[in-house]
Amino acid sequence: MVSSNALFDSSVLGSSMRSQLPPNHVLRALELTDFNKGYMECLANLTITGTVTGQMFADSFEEMQRAGCYFVIVIEDLEANAIVASGTLVVEQKFLRGCGRVGHIEDIVVAKGQQGKRFGFTIIKQLLEVANVTGCYKSILDCSLENVPFYEKCGFVNKGIQMAIYSPDAVQK
């Protein structure tokens, strides 16, 4: 059972990026109730989400909460009662660099009709603050070629090529 509505303790969130938001918008940790605020619909602007029930969402939420290394942040439009942007930081413990940590930034998404409000930039900068607070010596992400200029504006530098292989046994929903 989920012990808290928030995925993680909000004390790791800085306040510097919150002032960048328009009125009636808040930046915060993902909450269990965000399933009913269109979180999955927001994610669908990024890629295929598949069919996710409320119970599936709650089970994954609890697993991520228990692991303690997932930091999913959202921007909520309070007037619309809807999630309009999101991003994830996964903190990986390493043996390299004196048993350092690496932040993996994933799933940066801004809902259609919400672009141009600097929500993506705000999410990235907030995730980088969380990476710093949690002791990450670097943060990395994968992106498509057309998104490289955006991430360069956020301070990232191209350091290589991403490669992937998908498991033949993985169910693509």
Side-chain angles (χ1 to χ4, degrees):
M1 184 57 79
V2 175
S3 61
S4 170
N5 189 41
L7 184 63
F8 61 90
D9 183 348
S10 64
S11 68
V12 299
L13 296 175
S15 60
S16 65
M17 296 315 297
R18 294 177 192 196
S19 63
Q20 306 295 315
L21 295 174
N24 299 314
H25 288 73
V26 294
L27 184 144
R28 59 171 173 74
L30 179 72
E31 296 177 354
L32 187 56
T33 55
D34 289 336
F35 180 80
N36 296 320
K37 294 180 180 180
Y39 178 70
M40 295 306 299
E41 290 80 1
C42 184
L43 280 182
N45 288 283
L46 181 64
T47 190
I48 300 164
T49 60
T51 302
V52 177
T53 66
Q55 186 60 54
M56 292 165 67
F57 183 85
D59 290 346
S60 289
F61 185 98
E62 183 177 331
E63 191 172 323
M64 293 169 85
Q65 189 181 52
R66 200 172 28 251
C69 60
Y70 292 92
F71 300 87
V72 181
I73 61 173
V74 297
I75 295 175
E76 179 182 359
D77 178 336
L78 297 173
E79 268 185 21
N81 197 34
I83 302 304
V84 296
S86 181
T88 300
L89 173 75
V90 180
V91 177
E92 175 192 10
Q93 185 66 51
K94 307 285 278 183
F95 288 110
L96 301 172
R97 306 254 180 169
C99 292
R101 293 178 174 170
V102 172
H104 296 268
I105 294 177
E106 299 280 342
D107 305 334
I108 303 301
V109 62
V110 176
K112 294 213 184 313
Q114 300 295 322
Q115 291 87 1
K117 298 178 182 178
R118 298 183 50 89
F119 290 160
F121 180 83
T122 300
I123 292 279
I124 289 290
K125 290 301 187 180
Q126 181 63 78
L127 290 173
L128 291 172
E129 284 185 36
V130 173
N132 184 54
V133 167
T134 58
C136 295
Y137 70 87
K138 74 175 177 179
S139 294
I140 58 177
L141 59 78
D142 295 323
C143 70
S144 60
L145 284 175
E146 61 266 15
N147 288 333
V148 168
F150 166 74
Y151 289 110
E152 287 176 336
K153 287 179 187 173
C154 293
F156 284 84
V157 176
N158 189 339
K159 297 297 266 182
I161 298 171
Q162 176 210 34
M163 301 185 67
I165 189 166
Y166 290 88
S167 171
D169 298 328
V171 178
Q172 300 294 320
K173 297 178 184 178

